[in-house]
């Protein structure tokens, strides 16, 4: 039997963030999203790091709690929603608190990365690969790669690039698929 141990160092992507959210904070974010507030405005109003708010927005978009907006996380026009639909939406959010007094987005995901994987990720990023393709290469969820992008960008280990998260050569199918997530 081969009992080898990996010697790579392990890093946790964006480990310095507060992932815990209260029901009141979640409801406020929903209000801010429908009011058309930008990511940075919502973060300021919630007194949270913009990366923490971005993670929650991605989580809520994936759960279909927040709708797609034409300008994404930037300022947008107000989205009309009936008071009854808004109440139902917020009552639905209560279900996220069945097992815990706080909500932690993406708790089921893996944010541990071996040093070797991080170096390979940086090379793929510099080659212009989309985060969708990078996720396939690593056999990871797109969100796990997205959080590594945030982490590595904050550490200035990668730079913004043409085409953003999808790279320059993203297919139309990748663009449509990613639009659903964010």
């Amino acid at each position: 039997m081969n009992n080898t141990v990996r010697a790579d160092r392990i890093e946790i992507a964006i480990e310095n963030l507060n992932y815990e959210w209260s029901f009141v904070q979640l409801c406020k974010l929903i209000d801010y999203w429908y009011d058309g507030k930008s990511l940075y405005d919502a973060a300021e109003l919630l007194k949270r790091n913009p990366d923490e708010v971005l993670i929650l927005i991605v989580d809520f978009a994936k759960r279909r709690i927040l709708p797609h907006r034409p300008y994404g996380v930037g300022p947008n026009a107000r989205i009309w929603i009936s008071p009854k639909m808004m109440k139902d939406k917020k009552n639905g959010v209560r279900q996220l608190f069945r097992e815990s007094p706080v909500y932690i987005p993406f708790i089921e995901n893996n944010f541990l990365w071996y040093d070797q994987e991080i170096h390979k990720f940086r090379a793929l990023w510099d080659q212009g690969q989309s985060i969708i393709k990078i996720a396939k290469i690593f056999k990871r969820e797109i969100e796990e790669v997205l959080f590594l992008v945030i982490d590595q960008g904050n550490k200035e280990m990668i730079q913004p690039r043409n085409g953003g998260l999808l790279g320059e050569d993203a297919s139309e199918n990748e663009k449509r698929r990613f639009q659903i997530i964010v």
Side-chain angles (χ1 to χ4, degrees):
M1 182 191 299
N2 186 358
N3 289 336
T4 59
V5 177
R6 285 189 77 139
D8 288 349
R9 201 180 85 212
I10 294 178
E11 286 190 35
I12 301 172
I14 51 178
E15 66 183 328
N16 60 337
L17 299 181
N18 175 7
Y19 290 92
E20 295 181 356
W21 290 87
S22 71
F23 176 70
V24 171
Q25 290 173 318
L26 297 183
C27 289
K28 284 182 180 180
L29 178 67
I30 292 169
D31 288 336
Y32 298 154
W33 188 260
Y34 277 89
D35 283 345
K37 302 238 182 299
S38 73
L39 166 67
Y40 294 105
D41 289 342
E44 186 176 320
L45 289 165
L46 291 166
K47 296 178 176 58
R48 298 289 294 253
N49 180 313
D51 290 340
E52 296 167 359
V53 177
L54 178 61
I55 289 167
L56 185 61
I57 289 170
V58 171
D59 180 60
F60 273 17
K62 188 172 184 180
R63 292 176 180 274
R64 306 235 187 277
I65 295 169
L66 296 178
H68 171 75
R69 300 188 319 185
Y71 300 108
V73 295
N76 280 263
R78 173 177 263 151
I79 300 171
W80 187 86
I81 183 170
S82 73
K84 183 190 179 331
M85 283 182 65
M86 181 62 89
K87 183 178 179 184
D88 291 347
K89 188 173 285 283
K90 290 179 180 178
N91 283 335
V93 169
R94 283 190 192 280
Q95 298 303 310
L96 301 174
F97 292 90
R98 282 181 291 181
E99 298 172 13
S100 175
V102 296
Y103 177 67
I104 300 173
F106 297 108
I107 197 165
E108 68 280 356
N109 288 88
N110 177 10
F111 300 115
L112 298 176
W113 293 84
Y114 287 103
D115 205 32
Q116 174 184 349
E117 292 174 313
I118 293 172
H119 289 290
K120 184 175 180 178
F121 159 77
R122 289 180 194 150
L124 293 167
W125 179 264
D126 289 341
Q127 292 169 15
Q129 298 296 326
S130 77
I131 68 166
I132 296 169
K133 186 167 186 179
I134 294 171
K136 287 178 186 173
I137 290 168
F138 285 110
K139 296 179 174 79
R140 298 268 200 138
E141 296 294 322
I142 294 171
E143 295 81 15
E144 294 170 13
V145 176
L146 173 64
F147 298 167
L148 184 60
V149 169
I150 294 168
D151 176 73
Q152 294 294 288
N154 286 345
K155 293 176 180 173
E156 298 182 355
M157 300 305 288
I158 60 171
Q159 301 302 316
R161 62 187 187 168
N162 291 340
L165 294 170
L166 295 179
E168 288 184 22
D169 299 327
S171 70
E172 287 304 314
N173 186 34
E174 287 178 322
K175 290 176 184 175
R176 275 192 304 280
R177 181 175 175 205
F178 195 71
Q179 188 176 34
I180 293 168
I181 296 169
V182 181

